[in-house]
Amino acid sequence: MKITKLTIRGFRGFNEQQSIPLDSNVILVYGLNGSGKSSFTEALEWLFFGEISRQRLSRCRSEYQYEEYLKNLFYNDTGNPFVEIEGIINGKNIKIKKEINPDGEKLFIDDKESPDLNAINLNLESYFRPMLAQTEIKALVDSEQKDRWEQLSSILGQDELTNLRENLISLRNNKKKDENYKKQELKWQSILSDITELQSLSQLNRAIQDLDSINLLSGIKNITGSSTNNLQDILKEVRIRQKSLLNTEIGKRVTEISYLDAIELSKYLKELSDSFTKLEEHLIISTKEGHDHDYLDFLKNGLAFVKLPECPYCLEKTLNQKRLDDINEKLELGKESREAKNQFDQLKNSIKLWIQSFPESIKSYLPSQQELKIISQKFLDIEEAELAVKVQNIEKEIATTIASLNKELKSAIDEFHGYLEIRYFHKGTVDENIPKKLSDIIQKIISQQNDIITKWEDLKIEIAKSLSITGVVNQEEIKKWLALEKIASFFINAVEFIKCASLLKQIDVIQAKLEQYEKSEITRLLQEHATEIKAYYEKLNPGDKIQFSGIEVKGGVRRQAKLSAEAFGKVVNPVTFFSEAHTNSLALSIYFPQRVDRNNTWDVVILDDPVQSMDENHSQALIDILVGISTKKQVIVLTHSKSFFRRLCARFGHLKPKIFLFHNNDEKGPSICLDKGETLSYLSLIEENCKKGDLRSLETASQHLRKSIESVCLEFLLDKGTSFSKAQKLQNAGLQSSFAECEKLGLPASETGKLKSVLDTSHSDSHAWSIADTTVGTIQVGKKYVQDIYDAYLK
Amino acid sequence: MDKKSHTSLEVFFNSLEEKDKELLVDYMKDRKYESLSSKFDTLLKTKK
């Protein structure tokens, strides 16, 4: 396909409708940054490929919202924004238009609405994109290896494989996000961990990991010895077996619960009662009247000195025997009273502690609530709901009894402590009913406890009858059958999950194969392109000591494309080592073999700012390549570089390029002028300056005339096939050489003679030839001679 | 029209086992993957 006209309205940088005639084999566009050049390329990209590279390769893709980035910000006309091209496909004229419609996009082929571009029979695969956008060139080298892989894959036409891979990944992720799937997956993981612990089920491990129902069924059949092929029936058998084992286990637990009976507790309480009697006895002794302990101490100490009946010094009788016996008796009684008091204190403290620990001790005489909970759950597991409820009831009764008695008991104990303090220490008046109150509560507890124990003993008999307890409990066996039940139930109930998990496994296998295939394809295609890529790189970097070596790709989940190069004999990484110009030329070298040489679909190549920061040598080499391409395809080049643009104009001059100047991009869009070419531009400038008529303007006009003569000679030489470098050399050698070469190539000497007639040729160096006379007459005559040559040979 | 890309996809698709091919056709029927689904469907039918 060849493009002959592009019309844009309200798209990207274009606001007002603009038509750009592209009916030339070479289209050159010059414009400063932001003048609308990229919008020109993007219009074509969007029209044919439905997206723009800037958005496709952006690292912040989500910020490109439909309306915002395609529609011109200032466009407020009533009609829809659109891009339209006129072109030629297989010799037939065609018109394609795409509108940005509020409801989406509308496509028209030859003014008829069409759902897609299939009718034009054009390969619209992205690897045949005829345009090379700035973003594509910039992003190829300076990107992460995985992103580079994707770009390479796209360049080499493997988009559909990449697309398929992305779809597989997205399909898998969506399935995995499903809440139900996640829940079932957790169950599955828990079964896997059960199995790992049980050696006896290790043979099922593989089948469960693979979610392989068939192998699982045969595995379970081996273990159970079942003859049925139905998982549901096997599950029933598993449950029966499991119930029998659990009966044994629960039975064991129930009978193991043994408790002290009420008599035991009564003994305990009798001890308490005896303690109270002792306490009373000690109290009586310790509080006997007439025992002044201070006085008794005094006597005891005094007697240590005065124990003889006569004084050894005065021989007078100090104590008679009766008095001494009286004193000794008093001392003996005082000693007993003191000991009784100590024992009273000890006993009182131990009673306090004993009573404080009483509520806890009650609990230990009743069945453990925790144990009853386990038993009731086990009954539920084996579907013995009635027994489970009975056990639960007893457990609840214990909880309630303990809670209420603890409260009542605590308050009675507190009251009793107060009684002890006042009655025995402060010898105050107390309510003598308090010990009885405590005693009654303790009796009540004992009675209720006895009730519970009786109920539990009855229930134990009922449980024993119901379970018909037999055999010895084997924990490993119980775990095995419980796990078997879990596995069988899971495989019966999680059909959807198993289906989904199998699908995901299948997707994994396909993805692995796809990645392997992708890698082999990219490697093969890169090998095919390798020579051409290197050749392009060498053309763009003639004689350079920095040479591109190749691209190494790695496949699999982490896909990478690594570039390598050599600089002065050393291996270097182009990403970190190359200058921007080298990077740019490397990207172009990778693109050209596919997008240009192997692209039989498009008869056009569109390059948006291909030189970036290339120097004169690089850009000249690129122009030479473009000249080669222009012999086979229409070439459209857009650039912001003035020097590159001038070189392009000069080099392509003989091919009569259409030259456009984009400038002043404002809210109305770019202002686009068709440029007349260098010679004609000089002639216009001469005319303008002659009209002004002042001396200074005439001087300028005379200089422009001199330049127009040089330019017309250069264009003539190029038109006749002289290489650009040779034509430039001739120009540098002076006008004499250019005239001679022009004559050699067919420009009559009469024509060069006319040109010479307006020049001052008296100087031997033709560089110094200036316009002989800076009068309006001479300049106008000279202008006419140049115009005549242009019209006759170059128009 | 150049057939290279189609050939790549076709070669890959044909290298898969029948159950994998059917999966690709079935699961790509999701609206999002419509174009791939119809492509695979055509390939599967052509092969059969």
Side-chain angles (χ1 to χ4, degrees):
Chain A
M1 174 168 192
K2 201 168 181 169
I3 301 165
T4 53
K5 189 178 173 186
L6 171 67
T7 306
I8 308 173
R9 184 175 77 182
F11 178 88
R12 300 281 289 162
F14 284 73
N15 181 352
E16 291 178 352
Q17 185 169 323
Q18 304 240 32
S19 285
I20 309 158
L22 303 173
D23 50 343
S24 170
N25 206 41
V26 179
I27 307 288
L28 305 175
V29 177
Y30 169 75
L32 294 175
N33 293 333
S35 60
K37 301 185 302 296
S38 292
S39 297
F40 172 101
T41 314
E42 285 164 357
L44 292 168
E45 274 191 300
W46 177 69
L47 176 65
F48 288 105
F49 302 97
E51 59 173 14
I52 59 173
S53 299
R54 186 180 169 139
Q55 183 252 349
R56 182 169 53 94
L57 297 171
S58 173
R59 286 177 186 169
C60 31
R61 218 169 300 172
S62 61
E63 292 187 30
Y64 283 81
Q65 295 297 319
Y66 181 79
E67 280 291 320
E68 281 174 35
Y69 85 94
L70 288 181
K71 197 174 160 183
N72 182 275
L73 191 62
F74 303 99
Y75 183 75
N76 55 12
D77 211 338
T78 46
N80 288 329
F82 71 86
V83 174
E84 183 185 80
I85 62 108
E86 287 175 31
I88 303 162
I89 299 180
N90 301 328
K92 277 174 74 179
N93 290 332
I94 194 155
K95 192 156 81 174
I96 304 168
K97 182 180 177 185
K98 196 178 197 177
E99 280 184 8
I100 301 176
N101 194 286
D103 308 326
E105 296 165 359
K106 266 190 178 177
L107 199 64
F108 301 86
I109 299 173
D110 289 333
D111 298 323
K112 281 181 197 161
E113 195 172 339
S114 171
D116 48 46
L117 288 171
N118 290 347
I120 62 172
N121 197 24
L122 194 69
N123 191 335
L124 293 171
E125 300 292 353
S126 69
Y127 59 99
F128 283 147
R129 274 173 192 246
M131 58 286 293
L132 246 177
Q134 262 184 57
T135 335
E136 285 186 292
I137 301 170
K138 272 188 179 173
L140 181 59
V141 178
D142 189 19
S143 62
E144 291 291 335
Q145 291 204 24
K146 63 177 174 52
D147 297 333
R148 195 180 302 129
W149 162 292
E150 300 211 337
Q151 277 198 71
L152 276 173
S153 163
S154 175
I155 294 169
L156 298 170
Q158 303 302 303
D159 270 351
E160 284 199 317
L161 295 179
T162 308
N163 198 10
L164 173 60
R165 182 175 175 270
E166 275 170 14
N167 284 333
L168 288 174
I169 291 171
S170 151
L171 181 64
R172 185 179 51 214
N173 291 345
N174 286 344
K175 294 273 177 198
K176 280 202 157 183
K177 269 184 213 158
D178 181 77
E179 279 307 314
N180 206 23
Y181 179 88
K182 278 198 228 166
K183 219 185 278 175
Q184 297 282 17
E185 194 178 29
L186 278 179
K187 270 193 196 170
W188 180 44
Q189 296 293 348
S190 116
I191 289 176
L192 277 174
S193 96
D194 283 356
I195 294 287
T196 321
E197 284 173 17
L198 290 168
Q199 193 53 41
S200 50
L201 292 181
S202 58
Q203 57 176 298
L204 298 179
N205 213 328
R206 192 75 249 165
I208 291 172
Q209 263 178 12
D210 293 346
L211 287 164
D212 178 351
S213 302
I214 296 165
N215 273 330
L216 181 89
L217 181 70
S218 76
I220 294 182
K221 274 176 71 179
N222 277 344
I223 294 166
T224 57
S226 176
S227 55
T228 170
N229 267 332
N230 183 325
L231 205 53
Q232 199 74 260
D233 291 340
I234 290 178
L235 178 63
K236 273 184 204 161
E237 286 175 19
V238 167
R239 281 191 176 143
I240 291 167
R241 182 72 181 270
Q242 188 196 90
K243 191 173 169 181
S244 121
L245 276 165
L246 276 173
N247 283 351
T248 312
E249 197 233 355
I250 297 173
K252 188 166 174 276
R253 269 180 181 276
V254 170
T255 49
E256 268 175 2
I257 298 177
S258 174
Y259 307 99
L260 290 176
D261 57 19
I263 298 160
E264 191 88 16
L265 190 66
S266 301
K267 276 183 191 168
Y268 196 41
L269 283 169
K270 195 171 177 304
E271 279 175 26
L272 181 68
S273 170
D274 292 347
S275 300
F276 280 127
T277 315
K278 273 185 195 166
L279 192 67
E280 283 288 342
E281 283 169 8
H282 289 304
L283 186 73
I284 290 160
I285 298 168
S286 66
T287 55
K288 240 178 188 174
E289 290 295 323
H291 289 163
D292 183 339
H293 287 281
D294 290 340
Y295 176 65
L296 288 173
D297 283 344
F298 166 76
L299 283 179
K300 192 182 168 189
N301 294 331
L303 279 180
F305 300 102
V306 200
K307 55 186 174 182
L308 296 171
E310 289 172 353
C311 171
Y313 303 104
C314 67
L315 300 176
E316 286 290 325
K317 283 187 180 176
T318 53
L319 287 171
N320 61 30
Q321 191 58 45
K322 188 175 177 296
R323 182 146 170 76
L324 187 63
D325 289 346
D326 279 351
I327 292 171
N328 277 334
E329 190 187 347
K330 276 181 187 170
L331 284 173
E332 194 55 39
L333 281 170
K335 193 182 163 193
E336 272 179 34
S337 166
R338 191 187 292 267
E339 276 169 6
K341 189 177 183 304
N342 285 341
Q343 280 176 16
F344 169 78
D345 285 345
Q346 280 172 15
L347 196 59
K348 188 187 69 174
N349 286 334
S350 71
I351 288 170
K352 257 188 179 177
L353 286 172
W354 197 91
I355 291 176
Q356 268 167 5
S357 64
F358 187 70
E360 277 306 307
S361 70
I362 291 172
K363 279 190 201 170
S364 69
Y365 288 117
L366 293 170
S368 148
Q369 283 174 274
Q370 191 54 39
E371 183 67 14
L372 290 176
K373 273 184 180 148
I374 294 170
I375 292 169
S376 106
Q377 185 55 49
K378 287 207 175 285
F379 280 135
L380 287 177
D381 288 347
I382 61 165
E383 293 169 357
E384 290 284 1
E386 207 180 321
L387 285 175
V389 169
K390 283 182 179 172
V391 175
Q392 276 167 15
N393 286 344
I394 287 200
E395 190 260 319
K396 273 182 205 156
E397 201 174 339
I398 291 171
T400 323
T401 307
I402 287 175
S404 111
L405 289 183
N406 271 358
K407 201 177 159 195
E408 217 174 328
L409 192 63
K410 192 176 177 301
S411 127
I413 286 171
D414 287 346
E415 209 173 26
F416 183 71
H417 282 159
Y419 166 85
L420 283 179
E421 288 294 316
I422 299 165
R423 166 83 169 73
Y424 297 108
F425 293 100
H426 305 296
K427 300 180 185 78
T429 314
V430 288
D431 177 359
E432 290 298 339
N433 286 325
I434 289 173
K436 192 171 179 302
K437 208 169 152 189
L438 179 64
S439 171
D440 287 350
I441 288 169
I442 291 171
Q443 284 307 320
K444 191 176 155 193
I445 292 170
I446 292 164
S447 155
Q448 290 196 2
Q449 192 187 30
N450 282 342
D451 278 355
I452 293 172
I453 288 169
T454 310
K455 277 182 198 169
W456 173 239
E457 289 303 323
D458 290 347
L459 186 60
K460 270 163 75 178
I461 295 163
E462 192 183 336
I463 289 168
K465 277 183 192 167
S466 165
L467 297 181
S468 314
I469 298 163
T470 50
V472 180
V473 183
N474 181 335
Q475 289 300 324
E476 170 76 12
E477 273 291 290
I478 290 174
K479 279 184 189 165
K480 180 176 100 179
W481 290 94
L482 281 172
L484 271 174
E485 191 213 349
K486 228 166 144 184
I487 297 164
S489 305
F490 181 78
F491 271 76
I492 289 166
N493 297 319
V495 179
E496 274 308 306
F497 167 77
I498 293 169
K499 218 166 119 187
C500 189
S502 310
L503 163 75
L504 295 180
K505 275 177 184 286
Q506 205 181 340
I507 289 174
D508 284 345
V509 172
I510 298 176
Q511 190 182 327
K513 280 184 189 169
L514 175 64
E515 282 164 354
Q516 179 66 29
Y517 178 70
E518 260 189 313
K519 192 207 161 187
S520 68
E521 275 301 276
I522 289 195
T523 310
R524 180 181 67 77
L525 291 165
L526 277 176
Q527 273 168 3
E528 271 181 36
H529 287 219
T531 320
E532 294 150 75
I533 293 173
K534 274 194 176 180
Y536 269 117
Y537 185 82
E538 279 165 22
K539 266 189 209 169
L540 284 166
N541 302 278
D544 207 308
K545 295 290 179 199
I546 301 169
Q547 287 302 314
F548 171 63
S549 319
I551 306 169
E552 187 195 341
V553 288
K554 281 184 186 165
V557 180
R558 302 182 73 183
R559 305 180 307 169
Q560 296 177 332
K562 194 179 172 189
L563 302 167
S564 63
E566 263 190 29
F568 309 100
K570 274 197 166 184
V571 175
V572 292
N573 180 352
V575 178
T576 55
F577 187 83
F578 273 20
S579 69
E580 207 174 322
H582 281 100
T583 304
N584 201 44
S585 56
L586 175 55
L588 290 171
S589 308
I590 295 171
Y591 275 112
F592 280 154
Q594 175 61 36
R595 294 273 184 96
V596 179
D597 298 343
R598 287 157 205 255
N599 191 346
N600 297 324
T601 303
W602 293 84
D603 302 317
V604 57
V605 174
I606 303 152
L607 297 175
D608 181 14
D609 253 342
V611 291
Q612 307 285 336
S613 53
M614 284 176 165
D615 60 20
E616 281 182 13
N617 287 342
H618 282 105
S619 54
Q620 190 56 52
L622 176 61
I623 292 170
D624 288 340
I625 289 172
L626 292 176
V627 169
I629 294 172
S630 73
T631 59
K632 294 168 240 158
K633 288 174 189 281
Q634 182 184 25
V635 172
I636 301 177
V637 186
L638 303 99
T639 182
H640 73 282
S641 160
K642 198 158 197 172
S643 62
F644 180 63
F645 175 68
R646 287 178 70 88
R647 282 165 172 270
L648 280 169
C649 291
R651 186 71 174 89
F652 280 107
H654 65 291
L655 293 172
K656 312 281 183 302
K658 263 218 159 100
I659 299 167
F660 294 97
L661 304 175
F662 281 27
H663 49 88
N664 294 338
N665 194 2
D666 54 20
E667 70 269 18
K668 289 180 182 172
S671 153
I672 301 173
C673 307
L674 184 62
D675 193 77
K676 296 172 222 161
E678 205 157 60
T679 306
L680 293 180
S681 295
Y682 283 130
L683 295 180
S684 299
L685 290 170
I686 294 166
E687 191 61 38
E688 278 172 31
N689 282 293
C690 282
K691 271 184 193 165
K692 288 178 190 165
D694 59 279
L695 273 176
R696 195 182 172 87
S697 300
L698 286 178
E699 187 62 38
T700 309
S702 129
Q703 283 165 10
H704 284 145
L705 179 58
R706 170 72 166 76
K707 282 185 179 169
S708 73
I709 293 169
E710 274 181 18
S711 171
V712 81
C713 289
L714 182 73
E715 285 187 42
F716 181 85
L717 290 172
L718 291 170
D719 191 51
K720 294 295 171 197
T722 310
S723 74
F724 184 72
S725 53
K726 190 182 172 188
Q728 265 195 326
K729 270 183 196 166
L730 287 164
Q731 201 174 26
N732 292 341
L735 272 177
Q736 184 72 27
S737 307
S738 292
F739 287 159
E741 189 66 17
C742 286
E743 283 169 18
K744 231 192 252 176
L745 293 172
L747 186 67
S750 56
E751 299 284 14
T752 52
K754 282 180 190 170
L755 295 175
K756 280 179 191 168
S757 72
V758 293
L759 292 160
D760 174 9
T761 54
S762 59
H763 298 275
S764 57
D765 180 1
S766 61
H767 281 293
W769 290 358
S770 57
I771 303 300
D773 184 4
T774 51
T775 58
V776 177
T778 309
I779 291 169
Q780 287 290 8
V781 168
K783 179 180 165 262
K784 186 180 178 303
Y785 291 156
V786 174
Q787 184 75 57
D788 287 347
I789 293 172
Y790 187 88
D791 289 346
Y793 304 97
L794 296 167
K795 201 166 182 179
Chain B
M1 273 171 75
D2 188 289
K3 296 280 181 192
K4 189 164 67 182
S5 172
H6 293 263
T7 309
S8 284
L9 196 65
E10 202 174 306
V11 170
F12 171 69
F13 187 80
N14 289 333
S15 73
L16 294 173
E17 289 174 26
E18 283 307 306
K19 68 177 172 70
D20 292 340
K21 286 181 191 170
E22 278 158 18
L23 179 142
L24 287 181
V25 175
D26 286 347
Y27 284 89
M28 297 298 164
K29 269 182 188 157
D30 195 321
R31 194 171 57 85
K32 212 171 158 190
Y33 318 125
E34 207 175 351
S35 65
L36 275 176
S37 170
S38 62
K39 198 163 276 180
F40 289 144
D41 206 15
T42 316
L43 285 173
L44 195 65
K45 280 173 190 159
T46 316
K47 188 84 180 167
K48 278 175 181 173

